[in-house]
C-alpha cells in the first residue's frame, strides 16, 4: 500500500533545503504486490497509468514528428513478456508510410550475387505463387525495418539485432471466386449452368479455374487453358482448352442433374458444338470456342438422346405428383419404359397404347374352360383391369380403367387346384380410363 512520506532533516545540514524521503515503497514492486494482492483494482489502475504514460513518452521521444499523427509506440504482452511495438492509429497509415526492409545479403562469389540481382527476387516470388506458401530469402546477414523513409525505433532487428531473423516472400493471393456462366450448345441441344469459379494456382503457361470451394454446387468443374500465348495483333489468346464437368457424389441419385450430365457429355463430343464461358460479375466473355468435339452426330443419335431425356422427364414428373423419391437408375427406367409411359399418361387423364410385346399374368376361376383359350389358333382378345403398377420400388395405384389386350397368346398355364394362373403375351394393349367415357 502507499506509505506516508517521512520528511527527515539531515543532521549537519539544518540550514539547507535538501529533503530526503524514506520508507517509500513502489506500489508495483514485487514485495508490495505480494503484500497487497487483494487490491487488484488498485494495481490494475496503477499499471494502466504507467503504461499509458510510457506510450506517450516513447511516441514523442522515439518517433519522428512526421510519424506521430499516424503511429503510436504501444506496450503489448507477447508470450508473457511485455514489449513495445509501433502501431498504426489511422486507416491510411501504411499507405502514407509503407513498411520497407533494408537488408544486406552475402554470396559466395560475385557471379552468384550478380545472378540474384538480375532476377532473384522475381524467381522467389514465382516459387511462392506456385507453391502458395512463403519462400525464404536466403543469405541475409543484416536487416533494418523502415516506415516510409524512417527507421522503426522498436523493430525486432533494432532491439535485438538481425541474427536469427528470417525474411520471407509471401505468395500473391489468389483472386476471390467470381460467378461464371458456362453454355455448351449446337442448333438442337443446349446445356447451361452458373457456377462460382476461382483461379486454383499461378502456373507459368496454364490457367486453371475450379469451383472446389463451392461445395454446395452439384457439379465439379475444372476449366484449363494450357500452353497459352497472346496474339498481339488481335489481342486474342491461343492455347489448348479443356473443360471437365462431373456430378458430385452427393448428387449421384438425382434424376435432374444426371439428365444435365447426359446433355453435357453429348454436346462436349459434338463436332458442331459451341462453348461460351462468361464472367457474370464483370459481364464479359472469357472463352469462346467452336467445333471442339470429334463426333459428327446423325439423326438417330439425336432421336436416342431425346428419348432418354424425355423418359427422365417423365420419371421426374411422376415422382413429383406421386411424392415418390426416385433414385436415378437408367437401366431400370429403360426396362420399365412402357409402365412409366402408362402412368405418365394416366396422371394426365390420357389413354395409352402399348405397342410392344409384353407378358401378363391373370387368374382364372375354377369354372373357366381352358380349351376356350386355344380357339382361333390361341389368339384371343382379353379384357381386364389394372389396379396398380409396381414401379420405382413402390405400388402406384391407378384410376379406374379397362385394359384390352389384342391377339393374346397363352404362354403358360399354372394349375393350382381351384385357382389357375395363365400367362398371356400381347403386342398391342390399350389402357383406357373409364372415367373419361
Amino acid at each position: 500500500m502507499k506509505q506516508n512520506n517521512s520528511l527527515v532533516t539531515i543532521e549537519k545540514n539544518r540550514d539547507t533545503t535538501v529533503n530526503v524521503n524514506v520508507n517509500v515503497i513502489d506500489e508495483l514492486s514485487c514485495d508490495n504486490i505480494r503484500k497487497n494482492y487483494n487490491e487488484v483494482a488498485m494495481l490494475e489502475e496503477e499499471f494502466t497509468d504507467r503504461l499509458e504514460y510510457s506510450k506517450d513518452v516513447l511516441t514523442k521521444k522515439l518517433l519522428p514528428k512526421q510519424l506521430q499523427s499516424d503511429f503510436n509506440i504501444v506496450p503489448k504482452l507477447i508470450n508473457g513478456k511485455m514489449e513495445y511495438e509501433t502501431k498504426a492509429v489511422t486507416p491510411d497509415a501504411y499507405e502514407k508510410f509503407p513498411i520497407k526492409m533494408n537488408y544486406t545479403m552475402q554470396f559466395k562469389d560475385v557471379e552468384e550475387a550478380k545472378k540474384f540481382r538480375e532476377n532473384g527476387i522475381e524467381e522467389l516470388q514465382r516459387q511462392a505463387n506456385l507453391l502458395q506458401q512463403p519462400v525464404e530469402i536466403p543469405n541475409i546477414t543484416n536487416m533494418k525495418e523502415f516506415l516510409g523513409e524512417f527507421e522503426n525505433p522498436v523493430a525486432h532487428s533494432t532491439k535485438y539485432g538481425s541474427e536469427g531473423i528470417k525474411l520471407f516472400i509471401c505468395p500473391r493471393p489468389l483472386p476471390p471466386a467470381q460467378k461464371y456462366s458456362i453454355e455448351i450448345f449446337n442448333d438442337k441441344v443446349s446445356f447451361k449452368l452458373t457456377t462460382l469459379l476461382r483461379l486454383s494456382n499461378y502456373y507459368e503457361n496454364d490457367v486453371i479455374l475450379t469451383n472446389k470451394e463451392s461445395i454446395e454446387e452439384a457439379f465439379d468443374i475444372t476449366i484449363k487453358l494450357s500452353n497459352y500465348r497472346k496474339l498481339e495483333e488481335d489481342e486474342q489468346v491461343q492455347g489448348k482448352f479443356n473443360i471437365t464437368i462431373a456430378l458430385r457424389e452427393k448428387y449421384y441419385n438425382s434424376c435432374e442433374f444426371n439428365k444435365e450430365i447426359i446433355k453435357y457429355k453429348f454436346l462436349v463430343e459434338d463436332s458442331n458444338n459451341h462453348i461460351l464461358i462468361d464472367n457474370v460479375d464483370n459481364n464479359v466473355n472469357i472463352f469462346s470456342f467452336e467445333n471442339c468435339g470429334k463426333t459428327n452426330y446423325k439423326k438417330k443419335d439425336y432421336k436416342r438422346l431425346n428419348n432418354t431425356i424425355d423418359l427422365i422427364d417423365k420419371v421426374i414428373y411422376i415422382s413429383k405428383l406421386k411424392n415418390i423419391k426416385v433414385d436415378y437408375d437408367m437401366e431400370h427406367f429403360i426396362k420399365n419404359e412402357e409402365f412409366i409411359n402408362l402412368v405418365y399418361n394416366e396422371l394426365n387423364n390420357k389413354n395409352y397404347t402399348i405397342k410392344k410385346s409384353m407378358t401378363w399374368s391373370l387368374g382364372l376361376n375354377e369354372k373357366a374352360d381352358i380349351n376356350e383359350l386355344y380357339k382361333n389358333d390361341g389368339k384371343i382378345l382379353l379384357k381386364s383391369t389394372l389396379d396398380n403398377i409396381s414401379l420405382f420400388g413402390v405400388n402406384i395405384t391407378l384410376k379406374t380403367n379397362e385394359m384390352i389386350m389384342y391377339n393374346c397368346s397363352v404362354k403358360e398355364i399354372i394349375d393350382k387346384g381351384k385357382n389357375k394362373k395363365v400367362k398371356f403375351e400381347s403386342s398391342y394393349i390399350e389402357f383406357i380410363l373409364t372415367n373419361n367415357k
Side-chain angles (χ1 to χ4, degrees):
M1 299 292 290
K2 292 184 178 181
Q3 305 293 321
N4 292 328
N5 294 342
S6 298
L7 194 58
V8 178
T9 304
I10 300 176
E11 293 293 335
K12 300 180 182 179
N13 289 284
R14 294 180 184 273
D15 298 329
T16 69
T17 58
V18 176
N19 294 327
V20 178
N21 294 328
V22 296
N23 291 331
V24 177
I25 300 176
D26 185 357
E27 290 87 339
L28 299 181
S29 69
C30 293
D31 286 340
N32 200 41
I33 292 174
R34 194 176 293 112
K35 291 176 183 178
N36 300 283
Y37 58 83
N38 57 332
E39 296 290 341
V40 175
M42 180 274 292
L43 295 173
E44 288 176 341
E45 185 177 351
E46 189 66 28
F47 268 116
T48 301
D49 289 344
R50 292 195 186 186
L51 290 175
E52 188 67 24
Y53 178 73
S54 71
K55 182 189 78 171
D56 293 341
V57 171
L58 291 178
T59 297
K60 292 177 181 178
K61 294 292 185 182
L62 296 180
L63 284 183
K65 288 184 178 180
Q66 292 91 329
L67 298 179
Q68 290 179 16
S69 60
D70 294 284
F71 295 91
N72 280 336
I73 293 179
V74 298
K76 187 176 183 180
L77 199 62
I78 301 176
N79 297 326
K81 181 180 178 182
M82 203 276 287
E83 296 185 6
Y84 285 93
E85 65 175 14
T86 304
K87 183 179 180 180
V89 293
T90 59
D92 59 346
Y94 289 111
E95 293 180 14
K96 293 163 65 176
F97 304 98
I99 294 178
K100 297 179 181 179
M101 294 291 179
N102 186 346
Y103 51 89
T104 303
M105 303 180 71
Q106 184 176 2
F107 298 91
K108 63 182 180 181
D109 53 44
V110 175
E111 189 62 32
E112 184 183 43
K114 181 180 177 182
K115 183 178 179 181
F116 186 87
R117 190 178 293 111
E118 289 175 353
N119 62 358
I121 294 297
E122 290 83 356
E123 177 61 23
L124 292 175
Q125 183 68 69
R126 188 187 70 83
Q127 291 180 26
N129 292 340
L130 289 174
L131 298 173
Q132 278 299 292
Q133 62 185 33
V135 174
E136 183 183 354
I137 300 177
N139 306 324
I140 292 180
T141 58
N142 189 28
M143 188 188 310
K144 287 185 179 181
E145 181 182 313
F146 292 84
L147 293 169
E149 302 301 321
F150 305 97
E151 186 174 353
N152 184 359
V154 290
H156 186 89
S157 58
T158 303
K159 291 187 286 186
Y160 306 109
S162 301
E163 186 176 353
I165 294 180
K166 294 184 178 180
L167 192 63
F168 293 84
I169 289 184
C170 292
R172 194 169 65 210
L174 294 170
Q178 292 185 306
K179 186 182 292 186
Y180 289 81
S181 69
I182 300 171
E183 188 172 8
I184 309 173
F185 59 95
N186 59 22
D187 61 333
K188 297 180 178 67
V189 186
S190 176
F191 167 86
K192 186 175 183 179
L193 60 81
T194 302
T195 182
L196 288 173
L197 296 176
R198 184 179 184 181
L199 193 67
S200 67
N201 214 326
Y202 289 109
Y203 296 102
E204 289 183 338
N205 296 315
D206 296 339
V207 173
I208 300 178
L209 296 168
T210 73
N211 70 335
K212 290 181 179 179
E213 295 180 359
S214 306
I215 58 176
E216 294 303 319
E217 294 183 9
F219 302 104
D220 267 322
I221 302 170
T222 301
I223 296 173
K224 182 177 181 180
L225 184 66
S226 56
N227 299 322
Y228 72 91
R229 62 187 182 89
K230 286 188 176 181
L231 304 177
E232 296 180 0
E233 60 272 14
D234 53 10
E235 297 184 352
Q236 290 186 340
V237 174
Q238 187 179 67
K240 185 178 180 181
F241 173 81
N242 180 268
I243 180 170
T244 303
I245 301 177
L247 197 58
R248 286 177 171 162
E249 185 176 357
K250 180 180 177 181
Y251 299 93
Y252 279 175
N253 292 325
S254 168
C255 293
E256 192 69 57
F257 291 124
N258 273 284
K259 181 183 73 173
E260 295 305 307
I261 282 293
I262 289 172
K263 290 196 289 185
Y264 158 73
K265 290 180 177 179
F266 182 90
L267 286 165
V268 82
E269 294 296 330
D270 183 19
S271 60
N272 296 309
N273 63 13
H274 301 269
I275 301 176
L276 298 178
I277 301 175
D278 295 337
N279 186 310
V280 177
D281 290 335
N282 296 327
N283 192 28
V284 61
N285 177 256
I286 303 300
F287 297 118
S288 178
F289 301 96
E290 60 183 23
N291 310 123
C292 298
K294 297 180 180 179
T295 304
N296 186 16
Y297 288 120
K298 307 297 182 184
K299 188 175 181 179
K300 63 178 181 179
D301 298 312
Y302 283 98
K303 184 178 180 181
R304 187 184 303 113
L305 174 68
N306 291 332
N307 288 341
T308 300
I309 298 301
D310 184 57
L311 182 59
I312 296 174
D313 282 336
K314 288 176 181 178
V315 170
I316 295 172
Y317 184 86
I318 294 171
S319 69
K320 288 179 179 179
L321 292 189
K322 290 294 185 180
N323 195 24
I324 304 170
K325 184 181 181 302
V326 180
D327 290 339
Y328 177 78
D329 184 348
M330 201 63 217
E331 184 178 343
H332 177 77
F333 299 162
I334 294 173
K335 182 180 178 181
N336 294 277
E337 182 175 4
E338 291 297 339
F339 292 143
I340 291 170
N341 289 333
L342 189 152
V343 173
Y344 175 80
N345 280 275
E346 186 256 16
L347 287 172
N348 288 282
N349 290 315
K350 294 179 180 179
N351 300 328
Y352 183 67
T353 300
I354 300 174
K355 298 178 182 180
K356 180 180 179 181
S357 182
M358 299 189 73
T359 301
W360 303 80
S361 295
L362 297 174
L364 298 177
N365 61 44
E366 58 181 329
K367 296 181 180 180
D369 186 357
I370 299 296
N371 294 324
E372 290 292 324
L373 299 177
Y374 291 99
K375 289 182 178 181
N376 302 316
D377 297 323
K379 300 294 183 179
I380 60 174
L381 182 147
L382 188 63
K383 293 184 178 181
S384 183
T385 60
L386 191 60
D387 296 329
N388 57 72
I389 287 181
S390 180
L391 200 59
F392 315 129
V394 298
N395 283 326
I396 298 177
T397 303
L398 301 173
K399 300 169 186 174
T400 55
N401 63 81
E402 182 178 63
M403 190 170 63
I404 305 174
M405 294 172 280
Y406 296 91
N407 293 324
C408 288
S409 61
V410 178
K411 305 301 294 182
E412 183 182 4
I413 297 176
I414 303 172
D415 193 345
K416 293 185 177 181
K418 292 184 178 181
N419 296 318
K420 295 180 177 62
K421 195 172 186 180
V422 182
K423 285 188 177 180
F424 296 95
E425 184 179 70
S426 174
S427 58
Y428 192 92
I429 304 168
E430 287 186 344
F431 176 83
I432 302 171
L433 294 173
T434 55
N435 59 353
N436 284 346
K437 292 182 178 181

